[in-house]
Amino acid sequence: MSEPAKDDYALKADAPVRTVAAPELPYRPRDPEGYRPKIGMIGCGGITQHHLTAYRNAGYDVVAFYDLRREQAEKRRDAFYPDATVYDSPEDLLARDDIEVVDIATHPAPRVALIEAALDARKHVLSQKPFVVDLDTGARLADRADAQGVRLAVNQNGRWSPHHAYLREAVRRGILGDLVAAHIAIHWDHTWVRGTPFEEIREVILYDFSIHWFDFLCTLLGDRPMTRVFATRSHAAGQTIRPPMLAQCLVSFEGGQASLVFDAHVPFGAQDATYLGGTRGTLTSVGPNLGEQTVTLVTAEGVATPSLEGTWFPDGFHGTMAELLCAIAEGREPQNSARNNLKSLGLCFAAIASATDGTPKTPGSVRRLPPGSAPGVE
């Protein structure tokens, strides 16, 4: 048999490509039919302005606020739900019988006790991400929700960013065939954390930020097991803030491989790029930031470029709460359930442990966020 000519690939690459219509996929947040329960919010920090923007746009009914700093709770109430009540304790908020759902948006340290209290009050809970610092604690909370007959979900809002949601749904429906490659590369400036509490998080990139992409990868893989992760992290030349701003991970999964690159100290020319390769096609999503992305699907039928509506902020925050409400109304587990999120945390913890000691890890084998990764984690 003759050897293929060395320019065969170039000839194929230059062949005319047919433009086809993009498949219609359910990537937008879906609200439950006619179900609008009363919602309470515990923790009213900066990120909650995006929660509340999404909730107000969706017509959700937020009736109560609590924060350690009462003035912060009053600020959120006045800006978004002026008829809501501000409480002086989470216990008082949870004592309201008419509140069915609680959005707990505090930092991880106090969050476990607050989730426990909300579950014991038989409230459905949306927990801020990253969910927990210990996988066994997370499993215990999931069991506690089951025992109380309520739903516990995690605010992995990246799942409902338009480009992530479209890519995920395409993979789920087999449009790419079997996924064999998933490669994510993000280059941006994360130095806004200087002087904020986030600068105290040693693993602010691999833990607080990258959990969105660890979670995204896990949603693509579904039940396919991940066998190994190897990660590194380092300080960038010239950086003056405390946490390492450069990180990368290689992930092996059954029948394929993935890579995640995070360059968080790039002041100019930011780019966010994703490549998914399968046995029947490829998907790419490229843009200058999280909100501006161009998605391209290539299959044997041709090239399709879906025109996506919405942006990650605030639509991702709409999606997390909407999925929880749909799950409550439909009597099922939410896609973003606490138990589902443990796989993503297992990959995250293993990557951080690998970056710490320089050896590959099996996702799920590192049960706790490694010591020193974040304040209060010893």
Side-chain angles (χ1 to χ4, degrees), residues 235-253:
H235 288 77
Q239 83 167 70
T240 57
I241 59 176
R242 196 168 304 166
M245 289 284 105
L246 306 178
Q248 57 188 340
C249 308
L250 297 175
V251 181
S252 299
F253 60 89

Side-chain angles (χ1 to χ4, degrees), residues 148-360:
Q148 296 289 13
V150 294
R151 306 298 178 189
L152 172 58
V154 179
N155 195 351
Q156 287 290 170
N157 46 78
R159 293 192 184 193
W160 281 272
S161 63
H163 63 293
H164 279 175
Y166 190 91
L167 269 58
R168 180 186 67 245
E169 293 305 315
V171 170
R172 280 183 177 173
R173 282 160 174 73
I175 292 173
L176 300 189
D178 293 324
L179 188 68
V180 298
H183 301 292
I184 297 163
I186 309 175
H187 322 281
W188 82 109
D189 186 357
H190 206 67
T191 58
W192 66 266
V193 302
R194 181 184 288 107
T196 75
F198 291 97
E199 190 176 6
E200 304 306 314
I201 303 174
R202 186 189 71 193
E203 305 295 350
V204 68
I205 301 303
L206 278 178
Y207 175 56
D208 184 76
F209 181 82
S210 299
I211 186 60
H212 287 298
W213 285 270
F214 290 131
D215 184 72
F216 174 54
L217 176 59
C218 288
T219 65
L220 297 176
L221 297 182
D223 294 332
R224 293 171 71 179
M226 295 174 288
T227 56
R228 191 175 80 153
V229 58
F230 177 72
T232 66
R233 46 125 163 84
S234 60
H235 288 77
Q239 83 167 70
T240 57
I241 59 176
R242 196 168 304 166
M245 289 284 105
L246 306 178
Q248 57 188 340
C249 308
L250 297 175
V251 181
S252 299
F253 60 89
E254 189 178 77
Q257 61 181 5
S259 64
L260 303 96
V261 174
F262 304 103
D263 296 323
H265 204 270
V266 180
F268 306 105
Q271 186 183 79
D272 181 330
T274 303
Y275 175 94
L276 305 180
T279 55
R280 295 179 184 171
T282 64
L283 266 168
T284 59
S285 184
V286 181
N289 53 49
L290 303 177
E292 301 174 65
Q293 291 280 305
T294 299
V295 174
T296 305
L297 169 66
V298 182
T299 65
E301 296 179 356
V303 177
T305 306
S307 179
L308 303 184
E309 297 178 2
T311 57
W312 186 329
F313 289 66
D315 296 305
F317 298 86
H318 178 193
T320 55
M321 181 60 82
E323 172 58 16
L324 173 58
L325 299 186
C326 284
I328 296 167
E330 296 162 9
R332 60 171 175 80
E333 189 82 349
Q335 293 178 24
N336 55 332
S337 71
R339 203 177 306 281
N340 174 273
N341 192 234
L342 294 179
K343 182 176 181 179
S344 307
L345 285 173
L347 174 58
C348 176
F349 295 174
I352 292 171
S354 174
T356 300
D357 69 15
T359 64

Side-chain angles (χ1 to χ4, degrees), residues 9 13 35-36 38 60 112 115 125 134 148 154 176 190 198 234 300 369:
Y9 177 79
Y35 178 58
R36 293 294 185 275
K38 294 188 184 305
Y60 295 163
V112 170
I115 292 173
V125 174
D134 184 296
Q148 296 289 13
V154 179
L176 300 189
H190 206 67
F198 291 97
S234 60
L369 187 65

Side-chain angles (χ1 to χ4, degrees), residues 71-87:
E71 66 276 10
Q72 185 66 22
E74 292 173 344
K75 178 181 177 180
R76 291 289 179 253
R77 177 200 61 190
D78 295 346
F80 292 96
Y81 290 90
D83 293 332
T85 302
V86 172
Y87 287 93

